Amino acid sequence: MQKTVFILGLLTIISCTYKEKSNTKKFNFTTTFEKSNGIETASYPEVITYYQHLADTYPSINIQEIGMTDSGVPLHIITLNPDTTFDFKEIRKTKQIILINNGIHPGESDGIDATMLLYRDIAEGKIKPPTNTVLVTIPVYNIGGALNRNSGTRTNQNGPEAYGFRGNARNYDLNRDFIKNDTKNARAFAEVFHTVQPDIFIDNHVSNGADYQYTLTHLFTQHNKLGDELGNYLHQEMHPQLESLLEKKSWDITPYVNVWGTTPDKGWTQFFDSPRYSTGYTTLWNTLGMMVETHMLKPYKKRVEGTYKLLESMIEITEKDGNKIRSIRETSFNKQSKQKEYPLKWEVDTSQITKFNFKGYEGEYIPSKITGAKRLKYDQNKPYIREVNYQNYFKSTTAIEVPKAYIVPKGWWKVIDLLKLNQIEFEVLKKDSIIAVETYHINDYKTLKTPYEGHYLHYQTSVKKKVESLAFNKGDIIISTHQKGFRYIIETLEPEAPDSFFNWNFFDTILQQKEGFSPYVWEDKAFEILEKNQNIKIAFEEKKKDTAFANNWYAQLDWIHKQSVHYEKSHLRYPIFRILK
């Protein structure tokens, strides 16, 4: 606590005395990383001071605050535009934008240092300034984690000497919060993202899995999920170009090695970035997304240098393909308005496999000196190049008919707040109305037995559908699917989607029945219902052929109750409604 207060006080002092210092002494733009010969990373106050001085010294760089974080410190974005225009509406008219996110996991600090070097080198002319590309970076996204500095929590990582912690100020993993928005950080990110509206998004990380020869791995968003021309460009053009450019710079790169507890000899499956993750979220608006994953066991200096070269290469691709990227994104937005179906769930397409030569290390299972059990041991003295199978094709397993609109009753204000935050357009019902809608009833779902990022996440959700005319109230909102937020709307409001608001527990109150019956009272009423309604009686007798049901008197009474007018309509009825026509 005292450490955090001290650092926040230091930030205040830096802010107050900054102009005076900059006028009396030229700032030294040699970074902490460079001064330490590549074994240290800059602290959060050092990062912000550095960018403040860059912006003061070079007209091409602008620093601004956008939003607040859980740490009580505002989020910053740093924009680099040689034209010195920093109005994003104006920028988007003629240029493409790359948004770089650093320090989402502050212990994975490679991108923090690499981006500081990149901005300085472009501003000082060491690298040719981009002409058609504007860079925007969040210098440190997880500020609370960055201020919680230590030298031990990255157990598997080779440097730097000290770094931030993975959890934010409230111990959230921010790379699981882009849909549920539990943190102020995630809400600030949404504000940044919709202000900037980037064409390309890059999130810098450090891997934690198998051992192999590469320093750099890439994790592009899944191309089939992205779909059509946009997915094809990402998969067939951007991805190969990045590998080729890095090869010319003498840097090897491989797809993110999604392997845990075993060796990658036989290949692996591409990581599927659902919308809870940064690149899964940003691609909901047709932004081309990728994560950089450097290898945790490689020296810190090499990891930062590799990240630098990768960012430099992505700028080169954007400079070359900027007009194409702009055109493809616009085509994707236009096609959405005509889309009849939307794929909600995916699985690996085993009929398509990508083969490539992988540079790994031999691994074997040997007895543990501690437990006596078999443990995995890599031998870096035994490198190999071996063809592996990479399963990077996915196919849809569940698709829904795209509705014309959704209706969200005004009482679900938390959902409406998140729709507003993500700039989803909607109309407000001006008077009480009867509207024909498709309703969902939750048919089945499973729930994690342990907490996950502050929630007990649902999964394998299924629904039953029904078309009926329902009464809606003045003030309820109607959300047309004909808008740029098309993907976000469906991924959050369709309960079967993996990262839907339903699966993240936003609607758990409908899962609990609020009114019930006392058996001694209901017995007589239930008997009357069976006597007066032959259809219910016939169905009841049929159901009693099930032995378990026949032997459970309470289940029988409950079944009859659920067929009656006494059973509450809100139980298991999903409270978001679909207008089909």
Side-chain angles (χ1 to χ4, degrees), residues 177-202:
D177 196 35
F178 288 92
I179 283 295
K180 58 189 177 69
N181 291 121
D182 286 334
T183 63
K184 290 182 179 180
N185 299 64
R187 291 171 179 263
F189 182 92
E191 187 177 351
V192 168
F193 180 76
H194 293 295
T195 298
V196 174
Q197 297 181 31
D199 300 280
I200 296 170
F201 173 74
I202 303 171

Side-chain angles (χ1 to χ4, degrees), residues 15-33:
S15 177
C16 293
T17 62
Y18 163 65
K19 288 188 177 180
E20 178 183 344
K21 288 184 178 180
S22 66
N23 291 331
T24 59
K25 183 179 179 181
K26 185 177 179 181
F27 187 77
N28 181 0
F29 288 112
T30 304
T31 66
T32 299
F33 169 79

Side-chain angles (χ1 to χ4, degrees), residues 443-455:
N443 183 52
D444 196 16
Y445 64 94
K446 291 182 172 58
T447 305
L448 293 180
K449 296 185 183 301
T450 55
Y452 178 76
E453 293 305 315
H455 294 253

Side-chain angles (χ1 to χ4, degrees), residues 433-486:
S433 305
I434 304 295
I435 304 175
V437 294
E438 182 178 55
T439 62
Y440 285 157
H441 277 77
I442 304 302
N443 183 52
D444 196 16
Y445 64 94
K446 291 182 172 58
T447 305
L448 293 180
K449 296 185 183 301
T450 55
Y452 178 76
E453 293 305 315
H455 294 253
Y456 285 83
L457 190 67
H458 302 315
Y459 63 101
Q460 293 184 16
T461 299
S462 63
V463 298
K464 293 182 292 186
K465 304 175 184 178
K466 184 179 180 181
V467 176
E468 52 189 324
S469 294
L470 298 177
F472 293 92
N473 299 318
K474 177 183 178 181
D476 294 343
I477 70 168
I478 300 177
I479 307 162
S480 170
T481 53
H482 184 53
Q483 58 177 294
K484 281 195 169 184
F486 171 83

